[in-house]
Amino acid sequence: MFKKTSKIGDSNPIKSKIGFGCWGLGGGSIVSPSYGKISEDEAIKCVDLALKNKVNFFDTSPAYGSSEIILGKFLKKKKRKEIFLASKCGISDFSLSQNFSSNFLRKQLSKSLKNLGTDYLDLLQLHNPT
């Protein structure tokens, strides 16, 4: 797709200039339902198609419904080093208040890593800080 790869620090290389936003995979939440519900199989097919088309930057969040869990199931079948994986912290559901305390961020990161089935993220972002 693009000849040039990018890196952020010691992260995995970003091979694509286009990232795959995973909000639509998990169905969002009651307050913010994304684009509607899709099956887990369809969600995994979408992610697989993106990777086959050389999109390796995937962005998710705990606030994106079951997005992290679905992406984690996909990652079990792939080489983690092929993927540039970004997630967010500070919001676990759009119906709840933001929380950027260090204790909450640590807990949320730990849960995200478990959901994603990995021991590291390439990028961790604060989700919509004021």
Side-chain angles (χ1 to χ4, degrees):
M1 180 178 282
F2 296 96
K3 293 180 181 179
K4 189 176 179 181
T5 61
S6 303
K7 283 189 77 148
I8 299 173
D10 292 331
S11 69
N12 290 333
I14 304 169
K15 297 177 183 174
S16 58
K17 299 291 182 189
I18 299 170
F20 187 107
C22 296
W23 182 38
L25 298 181
S29 65
I30 293 170
V31 173
S32 190
S34 74
Y35 311 108
K37 197 85 170 141
I38 66 171
S39 73
E40 188 174 292
D41 287 342
E42 282 299 310
I44 289 174
K45 284 179 188 176
C46 290
V47 175
D48 191 47
L49 182 62
L51 189 60
K52 284 179 181 173
N53 282 285
K54 303 194 185 333
V55 173
N56 80 320
F57 184 131
F58 295 93
D59 174 68
T60 188
S61 167
Y64 296 171
S66 58
S67 171
E68 287 184 335
I69 293 167
I70 291 169
L71 194 55
K73 289 179 181 181
F74 173 78
L75 290 172
K76 284 181 184 177
K77 301 174 186 177
K78 301 296 173 183
K79 292 181 181 174
R80 174 64 182 88
K81 291 185 179 191
E82 293 177 10
I83 309 290
F84 184 92
L85 185 56
S87 193
K88 299 175 187 74
C89 58
I91 298 175
S92 56
D93 187 299
F94 291 117
S95 66
L96 303 173
S97 299
Q98 296 173 327
N99 185 344
F100 298 113
S101 71
S102 60
N103 189 42
F104 182 77
L105 297 179
R106 281 188 191 96
K107 286 180 182 177
Q108 198 171 46
L109 174 58
S110 180
K111 185 176 181 185
S112 290
L113 292 172
K114 182 179 177 186
N115 287 342
L116 290 161
T118 187
D119 59 351
Y120 70 100
L121 295 172
D122 295 294
L123 178 65
L124 182 63
Q125 305 161 91
L126 296 179
H127 205 154
N128 295 339
T130 53

